[in-house]
């Protein structure tokens, strides 16, 4: 159990029968009376966001979330199939657990899956991935005063803005957190 005054961004707790992650917190001291902790939590299973206010003496059940290395294998219907690199077991994850990471995942990409017991909660990609551009218009020099950009479709279907000099069939580095082009690979 942890006190609500020990909450920080990213702290994971069990409350109201669900698993929650603290997104924001602030400690309010009233002039007369007890202090309060105002928080914003995200449900790790459904993604819903809730604002909660606690008295400073309340306690919550903290949870331990383990990160497991897994490899993305393929998409089976709507589900994504991952292989545990330690046990070689295959795990099927729903699209709501994978989220926006699906835009930058190609087969054999290693990811970290947040697990609570045997239940998968979310996945996180490496900060940078190398993907091939499958379609982009040719850039015309002289169209802009300073470096311009154009849209490019990657092999995973994601669209990123790339400089005019980048051509089709070029491998590029993409930041998975922001979805921005970083450099040619």
């Amino acid at each position: 159990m942890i006190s609500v005054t020990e909450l920080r961004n990213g702290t994971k707790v069990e409350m109201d029968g669900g698993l929650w992650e603290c997104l924001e917190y602030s400690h309010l001291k009233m002039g007369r009376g007890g202090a309060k902790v105002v928080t914003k939590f995200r449900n790790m299973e459904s993604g819903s966001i809730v604002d909660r206010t606690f008295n400073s003496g309340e306690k919550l059940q903290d949870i331990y979330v383990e990160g497991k290395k897994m490899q993305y294998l393929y998409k089976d219907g709507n589900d994504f199939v991952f292989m545990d690199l330690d046990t070689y077991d295959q795990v099927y994850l729903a699209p709501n657990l994978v989220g926006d990471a699906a835009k930058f995942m190609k087969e054999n990409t290693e990811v970290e899956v947040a697990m609570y017991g045997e239940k998968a909660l979310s996945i996180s990609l490496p900060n940078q991935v190398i993907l091939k551009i499958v379609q982009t218009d040719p850039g015309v020099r002289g169209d802009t005063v300073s470096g311009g950009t154009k849209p490019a479709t990657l092999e995973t279907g994601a669209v990123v803005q790339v400089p005019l000099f980048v051509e089709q069939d070029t491998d590029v580095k993409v930041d998975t957190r922001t979805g921005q082009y970083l450099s040619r690979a």
Side-chain angles (χ1 to χ4, degrees):
M1 300 286 282
I2 62 169
S3 171
V4 292
T5 58
E6 297 172 23
L7 286 175
R8 300 293 177 257
N9 293 344
T11 303
K12 293 162 181 61
V13 297
E14 187 174 356
M15 120 183 126
D16 301 334
L19 304 174
W20 299 83
E21 178 180 14
C22 181
L23 299 177
E24 295 176 14
Y25 71 95
S26 62
H27 192 87
L28 297 177
K29 174 68 174 121
M30 304 304 228
R32 192 178 229 193
K36 298 208 180 284
V37 177
V38 179
T39 60
K40 184 179 280 191
F41 282 101
R42 180 180 60 85
N43 188 309
M44 295 175 69
E45 293 146 339
S46 68
S48 62
I49 296 178
V50 155
D51 292 324
R52 293 283 302 262
T53 303
F54 299 97
N55 291 325
S56 64
E58 292 185 53
K59 295 197 178 292
L60 295 173
Q61 179 64 49
D62 62 335
I63 60 173
Y64 175 69
V65 177
E66 177 186 8
K68 274 193 170 181
K69 288 279 186 196
M70 293 196 178
Q71 184 179 39
Y72 171 60
L73 298 178
Y74 58 91
K75 189 168 180 180
D76 184 24
N78 285 334
D79 293 338
F80 294 87
V81 181
F82 292 86
M83 178 180 65
D84 188 334
L85 293 176
D86 295 331
T87 63
Y88 302 109
D89 291 337
Q90 290 187 2
V91 178
Y92 289 77
L93 297 183
N96 65 332
L97 292 177
V98 175
D100 289 340
K103 297 189 302 189
F104 303 109
M105 277 190 329
K106 65 179 182 178
E107 292 177 356
N108 300 324
T109 301
E110 285 190 19
V111 299
E112 186 150 326
V113 179
M115 303 284 286
Y116 177 63
E118 293 298 315
K119 186 175 189 175
L121 300 176
S122 66
I123 72 164
S124 58
L125 289 171
N127 292 340
Q128 300 173 359
V129 292
I130 297 174
L131 298 170
K132 183 183 288 280
I133 294 177
V134 293
Q135 195 282 322
T136 188
D137 297 330
V140 179
R141 290 192 180 270
D143 281 354
T144 62
V145 174
S146 62
T149 61
K150 61 183 179 180
T153 305
L154 303 174
E155 61 186 306
T156 58
V159 177
V160 297
Q161 294 292 322
V162 298
L164 292 174
F165 61 83
V166 177
E167 298 176 1
Q168 191 166 320
D169 295 328
T170 304
D171 288 338
V172 294
K173 274 188 192 172
V174 179
D175 188 335
T176 58
R177 298 165 295 187
T178 62
Q180 292 181 332
Y181 162 86
L182 294 174
S183 66
R184 288 187 283 191

